[in-house]
Amino acid sequence: MLGVLGGCSLLLSVLLLFIIYLIYTVFNMAHTRSLYNGIPSPPLDNFWYGHQVTMVAAKKDNTFLDVFGAWTKEYGSSIMVFASFRNILFTVDPNMFKVVTSDLNSFSKLDDLPNRSLFGQRIAGWNSVLTGGGHNWAIKRKVMSKFFAKANTSETFELCKPLIQNYVRSTLAGKVGKGQVLELHEEFSTIFSAYPAAVGLSGFEDPETIGKNVTKILEMIPKQLGGKFSLSKYLFAVGKDKSDTVDMVIKMRKQLKALTREKMQEIHSSDSATKHSDLLGLLIQANESCDFERDLLDEYVVDDILTIYLVMDNMVKQLASLFIFLESEQGVYHKMAAEIRQFTLTDCSSLSQLRYTEKVLLESLRMAPALLRGTRLLKTPDETPARIGPYNLASNTQIHFSQYLIHHNEEIWRDPNKFDPERWSNGFQPEPYTYMPFLAGPRGCLGKHFAMMTMKLTLVSILQKFELIPKLSKEKRPTIDQGMAVMRIRNNVDYELVPLSITA
């Protein structure tokens, strides 16, 4: 009898603690949300989940950004969105963009960005030139800015040009046959995985293997996403695909560590003034300039190398998405192709002659920027509220901003959903913080000049040899995935490549 009474007493105690916790949680959630009463917000789905039910359904239907676009149109350019325990200020206000991307003291990247690790296995880590912050990040950025500076583009062009021309002449030409369809994302992935080797990351895997590995990693990353207190990020993606991808990351890191140590040994045994001149040398210099643990320097360098490969995939998706638009804009395609085929590629400066191609790329970057939306976390001294723009925001508020939506804002852009390269004619320059394909402010993309150069170089090298004929599936048309912050393409971007010697 005493045992039964003891068991009941324990059960009642647990139940009482749960009720107390539930009351505290509800009170705390209600109090926290009341701090944002002055900011417009769409009606909640329910108290507990806030707007999360609508958000989850929108991701499933691939209407996530459409929903937020409708909300900001109806309720205001900056709105509060509540997803269970997360309090999010979502904004498409250019003035808020400026504040959030410029103030590094108040705003930081989130600690749990999905590209930092994969099911516990480190990928880009927490201190890379992309994912890091603070003093060490500033040092890295300063060192790496030398390599990615516009003034250095001519030198990197000369390194990249023979690589892409050889790829088109040998590898790509060997894949092309009568009626054979190629998936452009896959082909571009191989090309852009080779560019880092041209500028100093040689001695690793072949570009095709790297491209496939990066694609696999990026496909697996979203499957680990779950709530902060949810086991779903560990249980959702199970089985062979998960273990194979994690094993692949481990293998890549092991190979890259060996490559890094070999380069470090070469640098430290050399008196050459140019020992840090290539990309790997500069990555080593950047990490040696930081106050990292000396015996883990190779790990930090590998973080940066993998970050570069992941970021290179943004250009892959940018060009692949361009050809989604060009399928229905064949007039634009033929005008761009004609310009490229009448053009003689000499040095980097000659790319400036491709004025229409530049407009096409700028418009592609507007229609589908590689970064569809960004996130920052507000941190204030002593966790006190802060005045951000016109709003008082509590510390730990997440600020989400969408480049995609501001690029499609009809109050800013004429016919925003129309693919129109001519809008970039006559020296047109958009207003500040209304066009941000490479972000803006202190964390703006370091490699934007390298990105534009390599995208033009890729288009020239391919279109001067081949006609590209769209073969997109009618049943599974490729579309931009609105659910992720970094652009992803659903379904294949299939094209037939026909040698110009056949079409002439």
Side-chain angles (χ1 to χ4, degrees):
M1 178 65 72
L2 289 175
V4 173
L5 289 174
C8 290
S9 176
L10 179 61
L11 184 62
L12 286 172
S13 297
V14 171
L15 183 61
L16 180 61
L17 287 173
F18 175 73
I19 292 171
I20 292 172
Y21 169 76
L22 190 62
I23 292 172
Y24 167 78
T25 301
V26 169
F27 173 80
N28 185 56
M29 191 178 289
H31 171 69
T32 302
R33 290 178 181 175
S34 71
L35 299 176
Y36 305 100
N37 281 342
I39 304 174
S41 177
L44 300 178
D45 297 321
N46 57 58
F47 174 80
W48 190 258
Y49 289 106
H51 301 97
Q52 194 161 345
V53 175
T54 298
M55 291 163 65
V56 170
K59 281 193 175 184
K60 183 178 179 181
D61 297 337
N62 201 27
T63 57
F64 189 79
L65 292 172
D66 295 335
V67 167
F68 276 87
W71 278 348
T72 52
K73 190 172 182 178
E74 181 173 357
Y75 299 103
S77 59
S78 296
I79 58 173
M80 281 305 302
V81 177
F82 303 102
S84 296
F85 297 97
R86 290 186 299 152
N87 308 308
I88 301 166
L89 179 76
F90 187 91
T91 184
V92 292
D93 179 355
N95 294 319
M96 287 294 290
F97 275 40
K98 181 178 180 179
V99 173
V100 172
T101 57
S102 301
D103 186 352
L104 297 181
N105 294 320
S106 301
F107 297 99
S108 63
K109 287 202 166 189
L110 301 185
D111 290 334
D112 56 353
L113 287 175
N115 61 354
R116 295 183 172 181
S117 65
L118 184 68
F119 299 102
Q121 169 56 48
R122 181 171 176 172
I123 306 176
W126 286 260
N127 292 285
S128 78
V129 71
L130 177 68
T131 59
H135 178 65
N136 286 330
W137 168 81
I139 291 174
K140 280 193 180 188
R141 188 175 175 92
K142 183 177 180 180
V143 173
M144 295 310 301
S145 63
K146 304 171 189 175
F147 181 84
F148 290 109
K150 189 175 183 179
N152 197 44
T153 308
S154 295
E155 184 176 337
T156 53
F157 168 87
E158 294 300 333
L159 296 170
C160 292
K161 178 184 173 183
L163 181 145
I164 177 61
Q165 290 182 333
N166 180 62
Y167 174 81
V168 170
R169 190 167 48 247
S170 56
T171 307
L172 190 58
K175 293 181 178 182
V176 173
K178 187 175 180 181
Q180 184 175 353
V181 172
L182 298 180
E183 206 286 302
L184 290 189
H185 183 280
E186 184 177 315
E187 297 306 322
F188 291 145
S189 183
T190 299
I191 293 170
F192 281 90
S193 294
Y195 281 136
V199 294
L201 286 178
S202 57
F204 188 35
E205 293 274 14
D206 65 276
E208 187 170 359
T209 300
I210 296 171
K212 289 179 178 178
N213 289 349
V214 169
T215 298
K216 189 71 175 176
I217 292 169
L218 291 170
E219 286 174 350
M220 190 59 66
I221 281 174
K223 296 179 181 179
Q224 70 178 335
L225 299 178
K228 188 173 181 180
F229 303 104
S230 170
L231 292 176
S232 64
K233 62 181 176 180
Y234 299 104
L235 300 179
F236 184 85
V238 294
K240 195 170 186 304
D241 276 353
K242 171 190 169 184
S243 60
D244 285 353
T245 307
V246 171
D247 288 345
M248 182 185 67
V249 174
I250 293 171
K251 180 183 176 183
M252 290 176 73
R253 290 194 67 92
K254 184 177 179 180
Q255 292 174 320
L256 289 169
K257 280 173 69 176
L259 185 68
T260 299
R261 287 170 182 165
E262 183 180 333
K263 182 70 173 182
M264 289 171 75
Q265 196 170 30
E266 176 192 327
I267 289 172
H268 296 147
S269 62
S270 170
D271 295 326
S272 171
T274 61
K275 59 187 180 181
H276 285 122
S277 61
D278 64 16
L279 183 56
L280 181 54
L282 281 171
L283 288 174
I284 291 171
Q285 180 189 355
N287 282 279
E288 287 181 336
S289 301
C290 298
D291 54 5
F292 294 143
E293 305 93 320
R294 297 292 100 179
D295 57 339
L296 293 177
L297 274 178
D298 54 352
E299 294 281 5
Y300 292 112
V301 174
V302 171
D303 290 345
D304 285 320
I305 295 173
L306 286 175
T307 294
I308 288 170
Y309 279 118
L310 293 177
V311 170
M312 292 298 286
D313 190 72
N314 290 346
M315 288 171 270
V316 172
K317 290 174 288 197
Q318 200 67 63
L319 280 187
S321 66
L322 166 61
F323 281 90
I324 298 176
F325 297 120
L326 291 180
E327 186 230 12
S328 57
E329 298 289 344
Q330 284 292 287
V332 172
Y333 165 77
H334 288 296
K335 186 173 180 178
M336 178 180 72
E339 178 185 66
I340 286 173
R341 289 164 188 162
Q342 293 167 9
F343 161 76
T344 300
L345 180 64
T346 54
D347 55 15
C348 187
S349 63
S350 67
L351 291 172
S352 64
Q353 298 171 30
L354 296 172
R355 294 184 176 84
Y356 188 73
T357 303
E358 170 100 0
K359 295 176 189 176
V360 171
L361 285 172
L362 291 173
E363 184 67 351
S364 174
L365 288 161
R366 185 191 70 82
M367 290 288 287
L371 188 61
L372 301 176
R373 54 189 171 90
T375 306
R376 294 290 185 269
L377 183 68
L378 172 63
K379 283 289 188 181
T380 61
D382 304 320
E383 304 293 306
T384 54
R387 187 75 176 176
I388 305 298
Y391 309 112
N392 286 317
L393 300 179
S395 187
N396 295 312
T397 300
Q398 290 187 17
I399 318 291
H400 290 214
F401 50 93
S402 174
Q403 296 91 308
Y404 177 89
L405 286 180
I406 203 164
H407 290 182
H408 288 258
N409 189 327
E410 60 190 14
E411 294 182 6
I412 297 172
W413 300 90
R414 170 183 49 81
D415 295 327
N417 297 318
K418 177 180 171 59
F419 190 91
D420 180 15
E422 296 299 344
R423 73 173 77 244
W424 299 94
S425 299
N426 303 317
F428 168 72
Q429 290 291 331
E431 292 296 317
Y433 296 92
T434 61
Y435 180 70
M436 300 201 306
F438 298 109
L439 252 182
R443 293 198 78 113
C445 178
L446 268 177
K448 61 184 179 181
H449 301 299
F450 182 79
M452 291 298 289
M453 181 272 287
T454 50
M455 285 194 289
K456 289 178 185 177
L457 181 57
T458 302
L459 287 173
V460 168
S461 301
I462 293 175
L463 288 175
Q464 286 190 343
K465 296 290 184 182
F466 303 101
E467 190 72 77
L468 274 66
I469 302 171
K471 299 289 182 180
L472 307 188
S473 170
K474 293 180 180 178
E475 292 75 28
K476 292 185 176 181
R477 292 192 62 76
T479 57
I480 306 302
D481 187 340
Q482 296 189 14
M484 298 299 294
V486 178
M487 189 223 298
R488 302 185 194 282
I489 298 174
R490 294 187 178 187
N491 302 322
N492 291 350
V493 186
D494 291 331
Y495 268 71
E496 180 183 355
L497 274 66
V498 180
L500 291 181
S501 58
I502 295 176
T503 61

